Amino acid sequence: MPPALSHRPFSPDAMKLSPFLNFDDSPSFSESDQMIFGPLDLEDVNGLHHSPMPYHWDSFDVDSNDVKPPLSFSALSSLQTQDYAHAQLSPTASFYDSVGLPYTSEDLASSPSCDTTSYLASWLHDPEIAASSPINIPSSLDTHQQTSFIPFSDHPHFPTDGTFSPMSPSNMSLDSHARSISPSPPFEDPHPARHRVLSVNPTATSVHTPAWATQLWDSSSSLRSPTSSRPSVRHSPFTETTLRSRMPMRRGSISSGQMFQSSSAPALSEPRAPSMTRSYSRRAESISTNDDRDATLRRRRRPEESPTPEKGSDIPLKSVLKPPKLAPSAWQLYFTDWIQRQQASGTRKLNVAQAAKEAGQEYASLSPEEKEPYKRRSLAAKEARERELNAYMRTLTPEDIKRENAYRAAQRKAGKSRKSNIKDPNAPKKPLSAYFMFLQRIRANPKLVHDIFGDETETTKQSVLAAAKWRSMTDAERQPFLAQAEQEKMEYEAARRIYEEGAPAYGTSINFSILPNSPAFTTIKMESSESESEGFSTDDGDRSTRR
DNA sequence: CCGTTGATTGTTCTG
DNA sequence: CAGAACAATCAACGG
């Protein structure tokens, strides 16, 4: 479920109504420039403005089709990609055999503990049930519960009837024919990588496949050891060109495409009225009701912000990010309208303070019904901004994120900001721990749900029950989950290294068949120790949207 | 946000 | 400065 697509508040038709913001419910607030108020150098901006409206928020159709990525691609998020990667590369039940784990289903069945546990363990070897192993393996019974797998049904090359399970023995087998699910042509992307990035659509913010994910498939890369026992994987649904080409896409190239060139530059639009709103926006700061407290903080701080290059000085002196600005509040929109009416009437000239005072009183006296349209527009702007922000975040490189977080940490430490670190939306997700694998397995199987959760449907209470069960299990009973978790961890570390390095490092062919007791295992672990924390915690700078 | 476990990372403390 | 100890975060789930 790509949320980005699911809550487009406006129909495409609505979009066409006007390229400008109107007093109706135009959706097209793009970037929440600050409160606009001032001289109307609007006369104009390429003769487009026949409207009496003196100024407007920058507007562009964030939802317009021409910037929308191919549908086939948009259905897949990075998370899903990762799942797919797992699906392709995770071990099946045979993994345990190959690892030589001493725990057979018989062993476990003979365990003194309860039947349920034996049942849990036996899945690993039960061809039927194995299809619902903890990691994204829908069985015929529980496909609906495998949310992380669902997205594949969105793809034309993944059967929607559940017949294809990437983890099922048939698909995981060494039979390369099983790979013929290859989504060959449909993933052709008409856009070269660069253009694709430049046309990032906020409505599809979760569509970009991280480079690390692609590399897991890329048959031409050096990732796969030629001697790997794994079959060739030649059909990443994500072609090279659909991916953000991270390394070359540095600031410069981004800006050359006009994307996020400045904090007030629209992320997407081609046609836009130049400059006016921008100059406006700057001027507006003095009367802004913008609640970006950090922006205020930055302004106040400026004088003393002179370089105190902390040792090593890889800590940026200022934020490296240029996220889209906050959306205008209902009040800001009202004020914009108010000013415009004043301008239209042309009767008198007001200074900013007077205007704000007067309009403020009027706004306060509005009935809820009268305020409603403004609130609605503000909400639309906020949603658009959120999509834009998500798209923006996806353009950041791991280095960007690191630098920004280093900056934020320094600011926090100095008591200058309370902003928490940002999360890298492109980074591979953390793998599940053994316990979480256990949880997932329960949830994937109705019988276990019933045995362990009883009639309890609340997830929080379920987790208590599951935890109790987990604690009651012996090490032997937990072993399969621990082994699976270990495997996932290795895959994660490899994926993360690929992601952070932008490309597989020399000699880091990833052979997922390596086992914990193999020499390669140790090597990988050692190498990955340099990696750094994602340390996420979302903070988009818009504190008003979260609490 | 709840509620769980466990892995990891970041931070602070101690020798 | 190295390592230990501690704290914070995040993975899944759905209402």
Side-chain angles (χ1 to χ4, degrees):
Chain A
M1 178 216 45
L5 295 176
S6 68
H7 59 276
R8 292 173 59 198
F10 305 98
S11 72
D13 285 341
M15 299 302 183
K16 293 176 189 149
L17 289 178
S18 167
F20 313 115
L21 268 196
N22 239 321
F23 294 118
D24 60 16
D25 277 326
S26 170
S28 313
F29 304 106
S30 62
E31 59 181 61
S32 64
D33 268 336
Q34 307 242 342
M35 186 61 223
I36 295 173
F37 179 49
L40 320 170
D41 41 333
L42 323 172
E43 353 290 88
D44 198 0
V45 208
N46 28 3
L48 287 172
H49 294 127
H50 304 307
S51 154
M53 185 168 128
Y55 36 78
H56 54 79
W57 305 99
D58 277 355
S59 59
F60 60 88
D61 289 351
V62 293
D63 283 342
S64 95
N65 290 331
D66 55 357
V67 294
K68 193 166 297 179
L71 192 58
S72 61
F73 188 78
S74 65
L76 298 153
S77 72
S78 59
L79 166 58
Q80 294 144 9
T81 301
Q82 184 190 24
D83 290 335
Y84 186 50
H86 279 181
Q88 294 297 319
L89 299 165
S90 291
T92 59
S94 63
F95 163 71
Y96 298 101
D97 299 330
S98 63
V99 172
L101 291 177
Y103 309 100
T104 65
S105 56
E106 289 75 21
D107 294 337
L108 292 160
S110 62
S111 145
S113 79
C114 76
D115 292 334
T116 300
T117 303
S118 307
Y119 181 46
L120 283 169
S122 70
W123 289 342
L124 294 171
H125 301 277
D126 183 328
E128 274 290 325
I129 307 171
S132 64
S133 97
I135 302 97
N136 313 328
I137 309 166
S139 69
S140 56
L141 289 176
D142 54 26
T143 302
H144 63 286
Q145 296 185 25
Q146 293 293 340
T147 55
S148 56
F149 183 68
I150 285 171
F152 296 106
S153 63
D154 290 340
H155 190 273
H157 287 255
F158 289 95
T160 53
D161 58 5
T163 53
F164 170 71
S165 164
M167 277 285 284
S168 72
S170 66
N171 286 306
M172 277 307 296
S173 73
L174 300 182
D175 175 12
S176 61
H177 290 58
R179 298 280 174 263
S180 62
I181 52 172
S182 166
S184 17
F187 283 100
E188 282 171 8
D189 186 330
H191 309 289
R194 172 162 309 206
H195 293 144
R196 142 148 246 99
V197 170
L198 295 178
S199 63
V200 165
N201 186 335
T203 64
T205 54
S206 61
V207 303
H208 289 282
T209 304
W212 60 264
T214 324
Q215 304 208 31
L216 292 175
W217 283 287
D218 188 350
S219 60
S220 63
S221 80
S222 59
L223 273 181
R224 245 182 326 102
S225 156
T227 58
S228 167
S229 61
R230 295 277 161 192
S232 298
V233 179
R234 306 187 164 274
H235 58 284
S236 163
F238 315 102
T239 64
E240 289 283 337
T241 54
T242 60
L243 294 169
R244 172 164 66 89
S245 142
R246 250 190 314 114
M247 300 317 282
M249 277 300 293
R250 310 306 300 182
R251 295 267 104 68
S253 52
I254 288 175
S255 65
S256 71
Q258 301 299 316
M259 182 152 185
F260 306 122
Q261 187 168 21
S262 77
S263 56
S264 56
L268 301 171
S269 71
E270 291 306 325
R272 68 184 300 272
S275 75
M276 175 196 70
T277 50
R278 199 177 325 286
S279 58
Y280 226 160
S281 143
R282 274 195 295 276
R283 195 164 28 237
E285 285 189 6
S286 59
I287 58 165
S288 172
T289 57
N290 190 331
D291 55 357
D292 181 348
R293 291 181 215 122
D294 286 280
T296 308
L297 199 56
R298 280 193 297 275
R299 281 193 292 274
R300 285 203 196 114
R301 228 187 284 131
R302 196 165 296 150
E304 66 175 65
E305 209 168 38
S306 58
T308 23
E310 333 225 341
K311 51 171 185 214
S313 75
D314 41 359
I315 298 173
L317 297 174
K318 51 179 295 197
S319 175
V320 295
L321 303 186
K322 300 274 185 190
K325 291 182 181 179
L326 294 177
S329 67
W331 149 250
Q332 285 177 309
L333 293 172
Y334 176 81
F335 191 40
T336 304
D337 285 5
W338 191 92
I339 292 298
Q340 191 233 333
R341 285 196 298 272
Q342 291 295 314
Q343 294 286 342
S345 72
T347 52
R348 54 181 178 156
K349 293 199 178 242
L350 292 172
N351 67 35
V352 174
Q354 287 172 324
K357 190 174 180 183
E358 213 171 299
Q361 286 171 348
E362 285 181 25
Y363 184 75
S365 69
L366 292 183
S367 69
E369 293 74 32
E370 289 169 318
K371 285 181 181 173
E372 206 275 332
Y374 297 100
K375 290 188 174 171
R376 207 164 62 230
R377 284 166 54 191
S378 176
L379 183 62
K382 198 172 159 187
E383 289 170 354
R385 191 264 181 180
E386 179 143 0
R387 290 191 294 271
E388 202 182 332
L389 181 66
N390 289 339
Y392 170 73
M393 294 304 288
R394 287 196 170 270
T395 67
L396 300 177
T397 66
E399 293 75 23
D400 290 335
I401 306 269
K402 268 184 212 163
R403 290 183 60 209
E404 173 66 16
N405 286 341
Y407 166 74
R408 291 185 177 204
Q411 292 295 107
R412 280 196 305 271
K413 198 172 178 180
K416 294 176 176 179
S417 166
R418 294 178 57 201
K419 282 190 173 183
S420 54
N421 286 354
I422 52 174
K423 173 178 178 168
D424 185 345
N426 298 310
K429 287 197 175 206
K430 284 187 172 182
L432 299 188
S433 64
Y435 170 70
F436 268 61
M437 302 258 177
F438 169 71
L439 254 184
Q440 223 178 32
R441 174 150 295 178
I442 296 172
R443 288 168 173 151
N445 186 288
K447 171 169 163 44
L448 286 163
V449 166
H450 182 261
D451 288 350
I452 297 174
F453 295 161
D455 293 328
E456 187 54 69
T457 54
E458 257 185 73
T459 53
T460 50
K461 290 178 181 169
Q462 285 178 341
S463 68
V464 176
L465 294 168
K469 176 70 183 169
W470 179 251
R471 283 192 297 265
S472 78
M473 288 163 64
T474 65
D475 285 350
E477 289 162 350
R478 293 176 180 178
Q479 183 58 37
F481 301 100
L482 295 170
Q484 181 91 24
E486 184 61 31
Q487 176 75 10
E488 297 279 329
K489 189 176 78 175
M490 288 165 53
E491 293 175 13
Y492 168 73
E493 286 171 351
R496 195 182 61 179
R497 197 172 58 243
I498 291 170
Y499 175 69
E500 291 186 350
E501 291 172 2
Y506 173 76
T508 58
S509 300
I510 295 172
N511 178 350
F512 288 106
S513 64
I514 57 176
L515 301 172
N517 52 1
S518 79
F521 173 70
T522 330
T523 307
I524 284 198
K525 292 212 71 131
M526 305 283 282
E527 285 173 357
S528 67
S529 63
E530 36 141 321
S531 57
E532 270 151 82
S533 159
E534 258 77 49
F536 343 110
S537 120
T538 38
D539 183 344
D540 55 12
D542 179 3
R543 308 191 97 72
S544 65
T545 62
R546 48 184 79 242
R547 57 209 77 231

